[in-house]
């Protein structure tokens, strides 16, 4: 068997039921903040996503598919490493942070690479850049007094954008990367290709800071007259293309991206990448920026949903997925390319800008009837659209099996004949790609440094301090003074806390949760009340 695998690596074939098949290409299309109800094939909202639906209807549409966390960076960390994000104290929402994946850690792209795949990422990264060893001179108004904003490592702004930025995606398994620096709502608003800021003029160096502004630079707070999009909470730093961002920047003018062209740009770069590697098996992580804020649809999508910019950028994302599909058909790649479509966390309407997301929502339900949303321990935080597609191999199917993104590393590893395993993922290749087998029985989910436990149809949420409702985004985040217990089979909307009714069940859940998390819960544990 070993010998066969070694040979296969070089010729790009793998064995399936003793039949040799060419190794499948893999594209994970990862949306940002797309809700369980945002994809029309789930039949829960009114927004139409015909291109995703086509893939969902011909593949497996999972109704119990989870991101590992209710926010971005922790989910991406888990997807990349097969390790629960709460084991890594740096896996929080990042702002100007350094890389949070250790370069010695096993990752999904490293696993693919070890099996002879080409590997690339195009889109959002949000797992940090650099190692903080640069000594970037602080030229902000606040000078050299760093104010820790309570985000992740590297918030001290030690990323030097004017030289090659490393380590980053290229040092943890991707041979090629074309990414945005951080998020669309954070500075610096530039693309980075293989560690270099795209179109940067060395005569106009780029500086970014989350400590203070650069003298004389306009901000959303001081210069409302310059804004084409108005901030609601946060997001009142530097202004680019009329949109105020989180953080401050100066210089690098020639490198600034155009927000309305971002979707086209990523699609283009993704296609270019595939073209450059298509003669060999490849893994592409195509990480869309939609529908995260700021929502900036290209003008040809403006008004397309009737739901304002949030709906319009989902229509735009759906179009991109349709274009990608057509491209794979045209290139003769569609028959042997596995496509996964999912989202890094649940939906949010107002996430910091006045953009009509609430006002124009109409009958649409991004949450798909689930409680909570982005940032929440309730279901809408982590239960997301989750679709696998493999033409001619996967049969059209709706699956209720419990599957999570943490399992991608181990499942793909098993599928393509690698023996690489991961700490917390399990091999769900049968469920994800072969229309058979059983999903997970249990899973610890995370939301803003808190955790909860799902076992079969039960969910247990430990008590946490803090307000039950995040007022800024109007989402119930899952804080309560006591343990909560829900039976999802009879109560998917988590309205009936059964902790009093089934105290024994609650104790069993707590015990198992403590067994899994143990000491590894680290600083998260300190948050759990007695
Ligand atoms: C929060 C931002 C929010 C969003 C989020 C990250 C404020 C007030 N809110 O801190 O707008 O950027 O971080 O979202 O600044 S995520 O999907 O990348 O996790
Ligand atoms: Ca996100």
């Amino acid at each position: 068997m070993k010998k066969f695998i070694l040979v296969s690596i070089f010729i790009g074939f793998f064995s399936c039921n003793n039949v040799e098949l060419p190794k499948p290409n893999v594209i994970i299309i990862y949306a940002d903040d797309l809700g369980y109800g945002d994809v029309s094939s789930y039949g829960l909202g009114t927004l139409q996503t015909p291109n995703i639906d086509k893939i969902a209807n011909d593949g497996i549409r999972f109704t119990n598919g989870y991101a590992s966390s209710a926010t971005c960076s922790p989910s991406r960390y888990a997807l990349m490493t097969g390790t629960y994000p709460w084991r890594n104290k740096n896996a929080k929402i990042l702002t100007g942070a350094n890389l949070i994946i250790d370069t010695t850690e096993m990752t999904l792209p490293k696993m693919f690479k070890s099996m002879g795949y080409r590997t690339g990422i195009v889109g959002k990264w949000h797992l940090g850049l650099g190692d903080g060893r640069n000594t970037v001179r602080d030229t902000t108004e606040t000078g050299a007094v760093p104010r820790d904003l309570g985000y992740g490592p590297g918030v001290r702004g030690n990323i030097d954008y004017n030289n090659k930025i490393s380590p980053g995606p290229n040092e943890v398994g991707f041979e090629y990367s074309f990414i945005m620096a951080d998020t669309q709502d954070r500075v610096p608003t530039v693309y980075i290709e293989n560690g270099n800021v795209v179109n940067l003029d060395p005569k106009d160096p780029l500086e970014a800071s989350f400590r203070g502004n650069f003298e004389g630079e306009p901000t959303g707070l001081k210069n409302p007259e310059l804004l084409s999009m108005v901030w609601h909470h946060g997001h009142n730093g530097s202004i680019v293309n009329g949109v105020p961002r989180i953080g401050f920047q100066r210089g690098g003018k020639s490198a600034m991206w155009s927000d309305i062209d971002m979707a086209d740009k990523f699609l283009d770069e993704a296609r270019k990448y595939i073209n450059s590697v298509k003669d060999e098996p490849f893994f592409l992580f195509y990480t869309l920026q939609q529908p995260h804020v700021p929502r900036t649809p290209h003008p040809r999508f403006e008004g397309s949903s009737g739901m304002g910019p949030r709906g319009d950028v989902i229509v735009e994302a759906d179009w991109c997925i349709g274009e990608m599909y057509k491209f794979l058909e045209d290139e003769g790649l569609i028959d042997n390319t596995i496509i996964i479509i999912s989202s890094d966390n649940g939906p949010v309407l107002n996430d910091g800008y006045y953009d009509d997301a609430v006002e124009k929502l109409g009958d649409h339900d991004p949450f798909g009837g689930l409680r909570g949303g982005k940032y929440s321990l309730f279901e809408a935080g982590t239960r997301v659209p989750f679709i696998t597609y493999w033409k001619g191999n996967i049969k059209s199917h709706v699956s209720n099996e419990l599957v999570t993104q943490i399992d991608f590393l181990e499942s793909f590893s098993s599928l393509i004949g690698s023996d690489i395993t991961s700490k917390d993922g399990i091999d769900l290749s049968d469920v994800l790609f072969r229309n058979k087998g059983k999903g997970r029985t249990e899973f610890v989910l995370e939301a803003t440094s808190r955790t909860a436990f799902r076992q079969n149809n039960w969910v247990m949420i430990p008590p946490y301090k803090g307000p039950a409702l995040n007022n800024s985004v109007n989402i119930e985040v899952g804080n309560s003074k006591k343990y909560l217990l829900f039976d999802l089979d009879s109560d998917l909307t988590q309205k009936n806390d059964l902790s009093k009714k089934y105290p024994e069940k609650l104790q069993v859940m707590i015990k198992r949760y403590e067994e899994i998390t143990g000491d590894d819960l680290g600083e998260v544990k300190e948050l759990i009340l007695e």
Side-chain angles (χ1 to χ4, degrees):
M1 188 65 193
K2 264 229 165 80
K3 203 168 177 188
F4 172 73
I5 291 172
L6 275 175
V7 173
S8 310
I9 292 172
F10 297 108
I11 55 176
F13 285 77
F14 82 122
S15 164
C16 179
N17 299 331
N18 295 325
V19 184
E20 272 192 28
L21 296 169
K23 278 199 197 132
N25 307 308
V26 174
I27 304 181
I28 299 181
I29 304 178
Y30 206 46
D32 194 358
D33 300 0
L34 189 71
Y36 190 60
D38 278 323
V39 171
S40 40
S41 59
Y42 279 76
L44 300 164
T46 56
L47 184 66
Q48 293 305 306
T49 54
N51 292 296
I52 303 177
D53 290 0
K54 181 171 145 36
I55 295 172
N57 296 340
D58 291 342
I60 310 179
R61 180 166 69 74
F62 289 92
T63 61
N64 255 300
Y66 287 79
S68 305
S69 166
T71 65
C72 177
S73 311
S75 277
R76 285 162 206 254
Y77 174 78
L79 185 151
M80 282 281 291
T81 61
T83 301
Y84 277 129
W86 42 264
R87 294 197 200 278
N88 178 345
K89 66 174 174 26
N90 294 329
K92 303 171 177 177
I93 298 177
L94 303 181
T95 299
N98 292 131
L99 183 65
I100 62 166
I101 301 176
D102 194 294
T103 52
T104 61
E105 242 178 299
M106 181 44 69
T107 64
L108 183 61
K110 276 188 190 172
M111 185 281 295
F112 276 118
K113 227 168 139 177
S114 76
M115 294 300 288
Y117 276 66
R118 308 297 303 271
T119 56
I121 174 168
V122 174
K124 180 171 172 177
W125 168 241
H126 210 192
L127 286 165
L129 293 169
D131 56 12
R133 276 190 230 158
N134 301 311
T135 39
V136 185
R137 201 163 58 89
D138 187 338
T139 57
T140 62
E141 289 169 348
T142 36
V145 195
R147 185 163 62 90
D148 194 331
L149 300 177
Y151 295 104
V155 73
R156 291 146 201 92
N158 256 341
I159 303 172
D160 178 1
Y161 294 97
N162 302 292
N163 288 299
K164 190 164 174 119
I165 306 158
S166 173
N170 298 62
E171 285 68 38
V172 293
F174 289 110
E175 290 173 333
Y176 178 77
S177 66
F178 186 99
I179 57 171
M180 60 168 106
D182 212 340
T183 65
Q184 203 187 334
D185 56 351
R186 283 162 174 74
V187 300
T189 51
V190 296
Y191 298 123
I192 298 173
E193 185 178 28
N194 294 328
N196 297 306
V197 171
V198 177
N199 289 334
L200 186 65
D201 176 356
K203 291 197 275 316
D204 180 26
L206 170 63
E207 297 175 279
S209 171
F210 296 94
R211 292 174 216 158
N213 194 19
F214 298 93
E215 207 183 332
E217 292 295 310
T219 64
L221 191 63
K222 288 185 302 192
N223 304 88
E225 73 284 359
L226 299 178
L227 301 181
S228 57
M229 193 184 288
V230 178
W231 58 279
H232 174 269
H233 58 277
H235 306 95
N236 55 19
S238 292
I239 304 166
V240 184
N241 307 326
V243 180
R245 318 278 165 155
I246 300 172
F248 308 94
Q249 65 183 11
R250 179 167 68 183
K253 287 284 180 262
S254 57
M256 296 295 119
W257 67 46
S258 159
D259 290 275
I260 56 172
D261 294 312
M262 187 176 281
D264 288 339
K265 182 74 185 160
F266 284 150
L267 174 62
D268 222 49
E269 294 299 331
R271 285 189 294 217
K272 271 200 322 223
Y273 175 70
I274 294 174
N275 251 327
S276 71
V277 295
K278 66 185 177 198
D279 295 337
E280 295 170 72
F282 65 84
F283 164 54
L284 170 66
F285 196 19
Y286 177 31
T287 47
L288 311 178
Q289 87 280 15
Q290 304 107 327
H292 195 282
V293 295
R295 295 154 183 148
T296 52
H298 188 274
R300 67 186 192 279
F301 292 100
E302 259 173 47
S304 58
S305 67
M307 293 172 197
R310 184 176 185 280
D312 295 349
V313 298
I314 296 176
V315 173
E316 180 185 62
D318 181 69
W319 176 85
C320 290
I321 292 172
E323 290 302 296
M324 176 53 78
Y325 190 91
K326 269 189 233 155
F327 171 76
L328 295 170
E329 275 184 325
D330 293 347
E331 295 298 321
L333 295 167
I334 197 67
D335 286 340
N336 199 35
T337 299
I338 295 178
I339 302 174
I340 290 187
I341 303 175
S342 197
S343 173
D344 66 342
N345 53 252
V348 55
L349 295 173
N350 179 339
D351 203 14
Y353 297 95
Y354 288 98
D355 65 0
D356 282 341
V358 177
E359 293 76 4
K360 294 199 172 155
L361 188 63
D363 295 335
H364 180 53
D365 180 6
F367 308 89
L370 304 175
R371 189 167 178 185
K374 182 176 179 177
Y375 312 110
S376 179
L377 287 170
F378 290 121
E379 282 297 287
T382 45
R383 190 189 290 231
V384 288
F386 199 118
I387 294 153
T388 61
Y389 175 91
W390 189 5
K391 201 173 176 190
N393 286 280
I394 285 176
K395 285 183 216 66
S396 163
H397 181 60
V398 177
S399 170
N400 300 324
E401 293 299 325
L402 176 57
V403 293
T404 78
Q405 294 163 7
I406 219 168
D407 306 312
F408 286 164
L409 173 47
E410 200 143 328
S411 302
F412 277 117
S413 172
S414 155
L415 181 77
I416 64 173
S418 145
D419 52 12
I420 290 170
T421 55
S422 67
K423 185 160 179 62
D424 297 307
I426 49 180
D427 174 7
L428 295 181
S429 52
D430 276 349
V431 185
L432 294 172
F433 313 119
R434 299 190 185 99
N435 297 85
K436 62 180 191 190
K438 290 264 151 236
R440 274 178 172 266
T441 53
E442 54 187 21
F443 159 59
V444 177
L445 56 105
E446 193 265 1
T448 59
S449 298
R450 299 158 303 142
T451 48
F453 183 48
R454 165 101 191 249
Q455 192 182 52
N456 300 314
N457 49 313
W458 295 90
V459 172
M460 180 278 290
I461 304 181
Y464 289 104
K465 285 181 184 149
L469 184 77
N470 177 333
N471 276 316
S472 309
V473 295
N474 194 26
I475 284 174
E476 286 184 292
V477 291
N479 292 331
S480 102
K481 291 202 174 74
K482 59 189 195 79
Y483 280 96
L484 301 174
L485 182 69
F486 300 101
D487 172 7
L488 298 181
D489 271 357
S490 62
D491 176 30
L492 189 56
T493 57
Q494 298 179 302
K495 289 277 168 356
N496 306 313
D497 168 29
L498 300 174
S499 58
K500 285 248 150 54
K501 192 168 172 194
Y502 298 113
E504 277 148 34
K505 181 77 203 170
L506 178 65
Q507 286 315 315
V508 170
M509 294 283 285
I510 293 173
K511 185 157 176 286
R512 180 65 188 136
Y513 162 79
E514 286 179 348
E515 261 168 33
I516 299 176
T517 55
D519 286 340
D520 278 348
L521 211 47
E523 66 179 35
V524 180
K525 201 170 178 182
E526 289 162 28
L527 294 167
I528 301 173
L529 307 182
E530 288 308 309

